[in-house]
């Protein structure tokens, strides 16, 4: 993981994991700016000196958490859509996987979106990386004729990411009990058929 001095022993890894886990919890509950290194080390039951074995400062710890989120989400979604036979099927699987991830780990939303105020470049880089990976899949789907080739892949990537983000917000953060199947059915129907009547569509 970037931004971290990697431990050389199993015990060191356990200590690092505790620091990251407690930092994630505190950043989510109190916010980045109201959480001190002392708060984190106290919660993790380690000395402040131990913190500096692994991290240069609080910002590098935050970067490490954000980097881990991005890698974890992308890897999990990629694995979940591996059996998809079409881009549409992969889209549905990806949205569902993301929502279920957030239902299990809701603190991710709080921590990720704080990046806009903690370090805007981190926030931009986080979503740019997602977009770059998305664009690769969109281009493949366009070549196969599954997605209209005239549409800009980058704009499409952000549109689809926006749908996933806000559907996730509604059905993982606001309410994590709703049955996802009918929601996903409707989202997929809107993507395939559009939301405007024929008379309202642009020529």
């Amino acid at each position: 993981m970037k931004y971290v001095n990697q431990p050389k022993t199993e015990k060191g890894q356990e200590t690092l994991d505790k620091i990251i886990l407690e930092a994630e919890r505190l950043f989510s509950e109190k916010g980045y700016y109201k959480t001190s290194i002392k708060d984190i080390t106290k919660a993790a039951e380690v000395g402040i000196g131990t913190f500096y074995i692994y991290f240069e400062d609080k910002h590098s710890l935050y970067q490490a958490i954000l980097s881990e989120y991005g890698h974890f989400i992308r890897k999990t979604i990629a694995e979940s859509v591996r059996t998809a036979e079409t881009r549409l099927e992969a889209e549905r699987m990806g949205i569902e996987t993301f929502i279920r991830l957030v239902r299990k780990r809701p603190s991710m939303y709080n921590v990720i979106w704080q990046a806009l105020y903690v370090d805007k470049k981190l926030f931009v880089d986080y979503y740019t990386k997602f977009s770059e990976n998305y664009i690769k899949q969109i281009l493949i789907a366009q070549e196969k004729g599954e997605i209209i080739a005239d549409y800009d892949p980058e704009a499409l990537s952000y549109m689809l990411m926006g749908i996933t983000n806000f559907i996730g917000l509604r059905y993982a953060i606001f309410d994590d009990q709703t049955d996802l199947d009918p929601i996903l059915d409707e989202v997929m129907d809107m993507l395939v058929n559009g939301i405007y009547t024929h008379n309202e569509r642009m020529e």
Side-chain angles (χ1 to χ4, degrees):
M1 187 189 298
K2 291 172 64 178
Y3 319 111
V4 182
N5 294 320
Q6 293 294 339
K8 295 180 173 60
T9 65
E10 186 176 330
K11 184 177 180 181
Q13 186 62 54
E14 289 175 0
T15 300
L16 174 61
D17 290 344
K18 281 171 60 178
I19 292 171
I20 291 174
L21 182 66
E22 292 302 332
E24 178 183 346
R25 180 180 65 81
L26 289 168
F27 288 156
S28 176
E29 292 176 0
K30 297 176 61 176
Y32 176 85
Y33 288 111
K34 291 184 178 180
T35 299
S36 67
I37 291 174
K38 185 176 180 180
D39 292 333
I40 295 166
T41 55
K42 182 179 179 181
E45 299 180 328
V46 299
I48 289 180
T50 301
F51 176 92
Y52 288 105
I53 291 174
Y54 303 104
F55 301 101
E56 183 178 334
D57 50 26
K58 186 173 71 170
H59 188 268
S60 65
L61 168 57
Y62 182 76
Q63 286 177 293
I65 291 173
L66 216 60
S67 176
E68 189 272 334
Y69 282 167
H71 176 74
F72 172 67
I73 293 169
R74 288 192 301 272
K75 180 182 177 183
T76 305
I77 291 176
E79 289 173 352
S80 76
V81 305
R82 194 167 290 163
T83 59
E85 296 182 358
T86 66
R87 184 60 224 171
L88 186 66
E89 188 180 352
E91 208 66 58
R92 182 192 173 107
M93 289 178 173
I95 296 172
E96 181 175 3
T97 298
F98 177 76
I99 295 172
R100 295 198 185 283
L101 280 179
V102 176
R103 282 183 170 184
K104 291 180 181 178
R105 203 171 169 184
S107 60
M108 289 194 295
Y109 256 100
N110 288 344
V111 177
I112 291 168
W113 285 20
Q114 286 180 61
L116 183 58
Y117 307 101
V118 172
D119 184 336
K120 185 178 178 181
K121 185 178 184 303
L122 278 182
F123 189 76
V124 171
D125 289 348
Y126 179 85
Y127 282 106
T128 298
K129 183 67 175 177
F130 270 94
S131 174
E132 288 170 350
N133 282 274
Y134 227 137
I135 287 169
K136 293 175 185 177
Q137 301 307 315
I138 290 170
L139 287 170
I140 292 170
Q142 287 178 322
E143 288 176 5
K144 291 181 177 179
E146 293 181 297
I147 293 177
I148 296 171
D150 292 341
Y151 291 143
D152 176 64
E154 184 178 16
L156 271 177
S157 74
Y158 278 96
M159 183 193 79
L160 293 168
M161 284 160 52
I163 290 171
T164 302
N165 253 313
F166 283 94
I167 290 293
L169 188 66
R170 171 62 181 83
Y171 295 104
I173 302 299
F174 296 176
D175 162 30
D176 62 0
Q177 299 300 314
T178 299
D179 181 10
L180 293 179
D181 282 335
I183 303 301
L184 294 173
D185 286 344
E186 195 158 20
V187 170
M188 293 302 105
D189 184 69
M190 286 187 281
L191 285 176
V192 172
N193 298 309
I195 62 172
Y196 295 104
T197 63
H198 177 72
N199 290 337
E200 294 294 327
R201 291 181 181 176
M202 296 177 65
E203 296 298 331

